[in-house]
Amino acid sequence: MAEKGKLKAKIIRVFETVAFDPEKGSYRAVDVRFEYPIGSGNYYDIVIPLEEYTPEEAERRVREWVQKYGSLMGKEL
């Protein structure tokens, strides 16, 4: 079992794509697909503009996503 406080996301796939933004139109991007929590079968995508993409940036954005939204997953309201 992972230590408490450790992120439990797994990057599954990274690929180039084309995205659309109403303000700037179509642009080339990198889609980072990850599973959270690991083993759940729930996959999420983060789209990063191609000129901003680095492997380190992808990891940073996945970590930020988990910190911001991860605590809501599975929460009963």
Side-chain angles (χ1 to χ4, degrees), residues 21-72:
D21 181 322
E23 294 180 7
K24 65 181 184 180
S26 296
Y27 64 97
R28 293 181 65 191
V30 176
D31 187 306
V32 180
R33 181 165 294 157
F34 63 99
E35 181 181 24
Y36 180 81
I38 295 174
S40 68
N42 295 320
Y43 300 96
Y44 304 93
D45 294 279
I46 295 176
V47 179
I48 303 171
L50 186 61
E51 54 276 351
E52 295 177 22
Y53 172 79
T54 64
E56 295 80 19
E57 179 66 13
E59 287 182 31
R60 184 186 71 75
R61 290 192 186 201
V62 170
R63 281 191 181 97
E64 280 182 359
W65 186 97
V66 171
Q67 289 172 349
K68 188 172 183 178
Y69 303 110
S71 64
L72 296 172

Side-chain angles (χ1 to χ4, degrees), residues 7-25:
L7 301 178
K8 299 173 194 89
K10 180 179 182 182
I11 295 175
I12 302 296
R13 187 173 178 211
V14 178
F15 57 96
E16 282 191 35
T17 188
V18 176
F20 180 78
D21 181 322
E23 294 180 7
K24 65 181 184 180

